[in-house]
Amino acid sequence: MNPAHIEIDLNALRHNFSQMQKLAPKSKVIAVVKGNAYGHDAVLVAKTLDKADAFAVARLEEAVQLRESGITKPILLLEGCFNAEDLKIASQNECHTVIHCQEQLNDFLNTKLPKQMNVWLKVDTGMHRIGVQPEQVDTFVQQITSSENLQGNVNFVSHFYMADELTSKITHKQLEKFVAVTSKYPGEKSLSNSAGTLYWSDAHFDWIRPGISLYGISPRSDSHGQREGLEPVMTLKSQLIAVREHKAGETIGYGGNWVAPRDTKIGVIAMGYGDGYPRVAPNGTPVYINGRRVTIAGRVSMDMMTVDLGPDSTDKVGDEVVLWGKELPAEIVAQHVDTIAYELVIKIANRVKRIIKD
Ligand SMILES: *Cc1c(COP(=O)(O)O)cnc(C)c1O
């Protein structure tokens, strides 16, 4: 008996990595492992992806954790360091840092760092979240270059915000702006996340930065990884802990928001929002049991959820249930929950055991 757990398929992870590499054969790969590798276990993923040229994380603590576990490849801090103290720790740990604003530039210029650092200047090509404006680039490059803290050339990074929309003109504009601002400099360039790598072959530059695609999930919410040559790495599973006869007209669970349209059987699954399954998943959200999809009936609670198995079902207590993964793409569940699969996988709770398949 195995209640809420995830299976992590390392062969699928390696497969997805090589798919991304094949799409961008001239580029090096920064494997994005922020957020504990999107819920998959950052140390495990980094150790498995020994062909990656570098890793990227969002928080200094994530980088330090990788270093402490013996990862020696370059680690890029995607938003840089948030104060001078952190910058020193990042330098000590041989991280690559991003500089995206004046405060970070000041820290870099005014702090005596224990080791020289590789710097990636983040350019705002249209997302308007972080990054220096195109007209500021020359000044930033000059100042960073003047610092003894700098290792090598200043590198350049920018981020797409609509690369998952295949007919959008925005991505072309971002691409043009990135080239216009950075091409005169010798430093290395990186623009593409998963969507850029999958759908915009002109945007690969020196380094691609895939995240979600490594985990077998499509960056497009109207698609799924298996349709794009990817294999889901995480499968979220549990089991039935009760199968109950249920009369037409009766409700189930908190709020009584589901009413049985006919006599049926209800399956109770050991899985709830305490495991990271979204509480907002409405009636009708699919769940995979014994070769077919059934649907959620009643509100998801902390440790349990209920599905309508149908009047003729033969499912038994102990039968395996897949919430998302190989048999049921997380992207499809995400559509029902009105979110993206990124959010589903990253929210897996600590109490959910990880079982590694290799
Ligand atoms: C998270 C992130 C990525 C990876 O994006 P995916 O859509 O998961 O491929 C790449 N670059 C930056 C700056 C990011 O923050």
Side-chain angles (χ1 to χ4, degrees):
M1 297 270 271
N2 240 333
H5 67 280
I6 52 177
E7 287 178 4
I8 301 288
D9 180 345
L10 298 184
N11 283 324
L13 179 65
R14 291 184 196 102
H15 166 82
N16 299 332
F17 179 87
S18 73
Q19 287 294 99
M20 300 315 277
Q21 232 176 3
K22 268 185 218 152
L23 285 170
K26 295 185 188 133
S27 308
K28 288 173 274 186
V29 185
I30 304 178
V32 179
V33 297
K34 63 189 177 188
N36 201 24
Y38 297 49
H40 293 69
D41 188 335
V43 170
L44 174 68
V45 168
K47 288 195 166 161
T48 304
L49 295 181
D50 53 359
K51 295 203 174 82
D53 302 286
F55 298 103
V57 295
R59 302 282 187 261
L60 179 59
E61 289 73 15
E62 297 179 312
V64 172
Q65 185 201 20
L66 291 177
R67 285 285 179 255
E68 284 172 351
S69 70
I71 301 296
T72 54
K73 297 249 169 90
I75 301 175
L76 171 64
L77 295 165
L78 290 163
E79 290 102 56
C81 295
F82 310 143
N83 56 59
E85 226 23 68
D86 283 3
L87 190 62
K88 282 189 204 162
I89 299 169
S91 142
Q92 194 60 50
N93 283 282
E94 297 179 10
C95 295
H96 292 204
T97 197
V98 155
I99 292 183
H100 68 72
C101 64
Q102 187 65 47
E103 292 84 347
Q104 285 183 329
L105 176 63
N106 296 346
D107 284 346
F108 189 74
L109 298 178
N110 303 331
T111 310
K112 174 99 189 82
L113 295 179
K115 295 179 187 173
Q116 290 188 325
M117 288 182 92
N118 286 84
V119 172
W120 292 76
L121 182 62
K122 176 101 169 198
V123 184
D124 178 9
T125 53
M127 187 172 191
H128 305 321
R129 189 176 57 182
I130 56 171
V132 302
Q133 293 311 308
E135 57 274 15
Q136 298 176 288
V137 166
D138 290 340
T139 323
F140 269 74
V141 171
Q142 270 172 24
Q143 297 197 63
I144 297 167
T145 309
S146 73
S147 167
E148 288 184 357
N149 288 330
L150 181 67
Q151 168 92 60
N153 294 312
V154 178
N155 305 310
F156 297 90
V157 56
S158 189
H159 196 51
F160 283 136
Y161 67 104
M162 278 178 64
D164 55 330
E165 298 197 19
L166 308 190
T167 56
S168 167
K169 293 198 173 65
I170 298 280
T171 298
H172 288 294
K173 290 205 175 119
Q174 286 196 270
L175 183 51
E176 280 167 24
K177 209 176 254 183
F178 188 68
V179 171
V181 179
T182 64
S183 59
K184 66 176 170 187
Y185 292 109
E188 310 241 302
K189 280 128 199 149
S190 177
L191 184 51
S192 283
N193 52 5
S194 294
T197 309
L198 282 162
Y199 314 126
W200 303 88
S201 56
D202 292 346
H204 293 165
F205 295 94
D206 303 302
W207 294 83
I208 54 169
R209 305 189 311 273
I212 197 74
S213 53
L214 298 176
Y215 309 106
I217 292 171
S218 171
R220 283 170 59 193
S221 43
D222 59 348
S223 182
H224 55 81
Q226 279 150 326
R227 241 193 240 163
E228 308 193 14
L230 306 171
E231 277 300 316
V233 175
M234 174 192 294
T235 301
L236 176 63
K237 290 185 174 180
S238 190
Q239 60 183 13
L240 290 174
I241 58 166
V243 174
R244 301 165 52 88
E245 301 286 342
H246 193 90
K247 290 266 175 277
E250 285 176 344
T251 68
I252 306 176
Y254 292 118
N257 76 345
W258 187 82
V259 184
R262 49 164 169 40
D263 288 359
T264 188
K265 287 183 193 166
I266 293 296
V268 183
I269 305 167
M271 173 71 63
Y273 64 82
D275 300 298
Y277 193 92
R279 179 180 176 276
V280 293
N283 292 326
T285 304
V287 168
Y288 179 93
I289 300 180
N290 291 326
R292 72 196 193 285
R293 287 183 192 180
V294 297
T295 58
I296 291 183
R299 199 168 278 165
V300 173
S301 45
M302 188 182 289
D303 315 302
M304 288 177 276
M305 55 193 278
T306 41
V307 290
D308 183 4
L309 296 171
D312 306 321
S313 69
T314 55
D315 311 286
K316 319 175 293 301
V317 168
D319 285 358
E320 182 176 273
V321 177
V322 173
L323 287 308
W324 62 67
K326 294 210 188 304
E327 295 84 357
L328 172 62
E331 293 92 324
I332 304 238
V333 178
Q335 285 165 19
H336 284 264
V337 181
D338 207 12
T339 185
I340 51 177
Y342 293 72
E343 189 181 12
L344 296 184
V345 291
I346 205 169
K347 282 193 168 164
I348 291 297
N350 274 338
R351 80 177 184 194
V352 175
K353 238 196 252 152
R354 287 182 175 76
I355 297 175
I356 298 160
K357 300 250 154 178
D358 198 0

